[in-house]
Amino acid sequence: MADDGTGRVAARQDATGESQPRAGVHARGGGLGEGGSTGVALRLQSVQSARPPRNPSLHMHTQVLKSASALGESFSSRHVRELHTLLALQPGAAKVDAHLGKLRELQQLEFHSEQLEYSFRSSLMRDVIYTSMTFESRKALHTAAADLLLQGPADGRTTHTKYLAAYYHLRQAENEPRVLCLTTDAAQQALLGTNWNDAIDVLELGLDALEEATCARTLTLTLTLALTLTLTTDH
């Protein structure tokens, strides 16, 4: 092979006169093999994914924001810590408060001392962060949030309010069976407490759930909602 005048070995030519890349050098715009651009991109992606983030703090801030975005416009630090504990997310629960404080300093979050809650300074920023996650990531966060609401302490919430909040998360997770079960339980609780306003709220949610339902659990919910409708009409 001849020198090209720059100190490098030029590409050799095959019998057809077409230039061929020298050994060890991948052709530009190569195919799907290891020598093509796709192969290079895959190896580069593998190397990059193995590297630690250039700014670990920024990476952790982003994860905290993602978790918070699934909780809604406002949220408590405890709920974020519980999400990270339940899903084994980084940063660990012990470090969540420090990251929330830093995000407040960076004016990405606001803290409301009366409610002891944080909120996003910009709804648009929250939406961008939320939609940057895959559906599977959002589903895991929403399912965990629903579980924490239903299993955790009341925190001043009525049972009805907890059901409504959990209903939102399960709908976002597209967990149809649990949505139907939860709505049925909520309707029954409202009827037991003869709280007709709560029962009407649940009735509206239940009808929405039934419109999208495809599983066999709809019968129990339908009967419960029919009873709810009958009793609320009488009152």
Side-chain angles (χ1 to χ4, degrees):
M1 291 182 286
D3 193 293
D4 63 0
T6 62
R8 295 175 298 182
V9 177
R12 62 181 175 82
Q13 290 186 334
D14 64 7
T16 64
E18 294 288 334
S19 294
Q20 300 295 320
R22 56 192 174 86
V25 178
H26 304 304
R28 282 183 174 271
L32 298 177
E34 283 295 313
S37 59
T38 302
V40 175
L42 289 173
R43 286 196 298 277
L44 179 60
Q45 184 179 10
S46 176
V47 171
Q48 289 176 335
S49 63
R51 294 174 183 167
R54 292 184 178 180
N55 188 335
S57 295
L58 179 59
H59 177 74
M60 296 299 178
H61 290 344
T62 302
Q63 181 57 62
V64 169
L65 288 173
K66 287 179 177 180
S67 301
S69 71
L71 293 172
E73 293 292 340
S74 60
F75 52 90
S76 71
S77 61
R78 183 173 68 80
H79 289 149
V80 180
R81 292 197 304 272
E82 289 176 343
L83 275 183
H84 279 235
T85 299
L86 186 59
L87 297 175
L89 297 174
Q90 292 297 324
K95 297 181 179 179
V96 164
D97 281 314
H99 286 283
L100 289 173
K102 187 62 178 179
L103 289 166
R104 180 187 177 191
E105 291 178 14
L106 295 172
Q107 299 187 349
Q108 295 185 0
L109 297 176
E110 292 180 332
F111 181 71
H112 308 279
S113 55
E114 293 183 3
Q115 297 86 1
L116 298 178
E117 289 185 338
Y118 288 90
S119 66
F120 286 85
R121 289 183 64 88
S122 165
S123 297
L124 178 60
M125 183 184 74
R126 183 253 171 186
D127 292 343
V128 169
I129 291 170
Y130 180 78
T131 56
S132 72
M133 293 186 286
T134 64
F135 171 71
E136 289 304 319
S137 295
R138 297 197 301 269
K139 180 178 181 178
L141 287 168
H142 282 299
T143 301
D147 290 339
L148 290 169
L149 283 166
L150 296 173
Q151 298 169 9
D155 287 344
R157 290 186 175 97
T158 63
T159 300
H160 177 66
T161 304
K162 288 176 62 175
Y163 274 133
L164 294 182
Y167 174 88
Y168 161 78
H169 286 295
L170 292 176
R171 283 294 295 270
Q172 294 299 113
E174 298 183 11
N175 191 328
E176 178 188 302
R178 288 195 63 188
V179 166
L180 294 174
C181 286
L182 178 66
T183 311
T184 303
D185 290 345
Q188 291 172 345
Q189 287 290 330
L191 290 174
L192 288 174
T194 62
N195 189 327
W196 309 122
N197 289 331
D198 287 357
I200 291 171
D201 286 344
V202 173
L203 177 62
E204 293 175 349
L205 296 179
L207 292 174
D208 288 342
L210 280 175
E211 287 182 0
E212 300 180 8
T214 58
C215 66
R217 298 171 185 264
T218 58
L219 177 60
T220 303
L221 177 57
T222 302
L223 293 174
T224 305
L225 293 177
L227 177 60
T228 305
L229 180 60
T230 301
L231 294 176
T232 52
T233 301
D234 293 340
H235 290 77

